Amino acid sequence: DETNKMLESQLTSLQAKLHGMEAVESPTKLLSEIEQLRTQLKAEAQTTSMLKETSRKLKKDLTVQQSVVSRLEDRCKTVSGEKESLETKYEELHSKLKKSRSELEIKNVELSKQLQE
């Protein structure tokens, strides 16, 4: 934008010179400089447009990525909760298994005694 303003200022100045207000150089040379400045202005405008489009696309991509990250974070929380639940169930089942094993061992000892009698 600053470059555009500078080039526009130079263009205006050269146009003023061309119209005889400050004519020092030949009109042909001034016309050539004006054409160069117009070409530069067009190129700058295209570059600016491309940069704006790229910025828009990057912002859109960032929004999509932030959404994906948010969903992944939510999924991680869910999985973490499921893991804790499974660990609790495992501990409960393990405790029941120990208790059952202990009860079976006691019954086994009792049955062994009965068989010996």
Side-chain angles (χ1 to χ4, degrees):
D1 286 342
E2 291 296 322
T3 305
N4 283 352
K5 289 179 183 177
M6 180 188 71
L7 290 172
E8 287 173 357
S9 172
Q10 289 176 349
L11 180 60
T12 303
S13 173
L14 288 173
Q15 285 173 334
K17 286 181 182 180
L18 182 63
H19 288 71
M21 294 180 163
E22 301 173 31
V24 176
E25 302 179 47
S26 71
T28 307
K29 184 176 180 183
L30 289 175
L31 281 172
S32 173
E33 288 181 31
I34 287 171
E35 265 320 299
Q36 286 178 333
L37 288 172
R38 282 187 178 142
T39 303
Q40 286 178 339
L41 273 173
K42 286 179 185 175
E44 288 293 327
Q46 287 176 338
T47 301
T48 300
S49 176
M50 287 171 42
L51 288 173
K52 286 180 181 177
E53 180 64 17
T54 300
S55 174
R56 186 191 65 75
K57 287 179 181 178
L58 288 173
K59 285 178 184 175
K60 183 179 176 183
D61 288 348
L62 178 61
T63 301
V64 169
Q65 289 174 357
Q66 287 172 333
S67 173
V68 169
V69 166
S70 177
R71 286 190 306 233
L72 287 173
E73 288 173 339
D74 290 345
R75 182 66 183 133
C76 284
K77 289 176 187 173
T78 301
V79 168
S80 178
E82 291 171 355
K83 178 187 172 218
E84 289 177 15
S85 174
L86 288 172
E87 286 173 341
T88 301
K89 286 180 182 178
Y90 171 80
E91 291 300 324
E92 290 171 0
L93 290 173
H94 188 68
S95 175
K96 286 180 181 179
L97 178 63
K98 280 183 174 181
K99 183 179 175 185
S100 294
R101 186 176 287 160
S102 177
E103 290 172 355
L104 285 173
E105 287 176 2
I106 292 171
K107 286 182 181 180
N108 189 22
V109 168
E110 290 174 356
L111 286 173
S112 291
K113 286 182 183 178
Q114 287 177 2
L115 283 174
Q116 288 177 356
E117 292 175 358

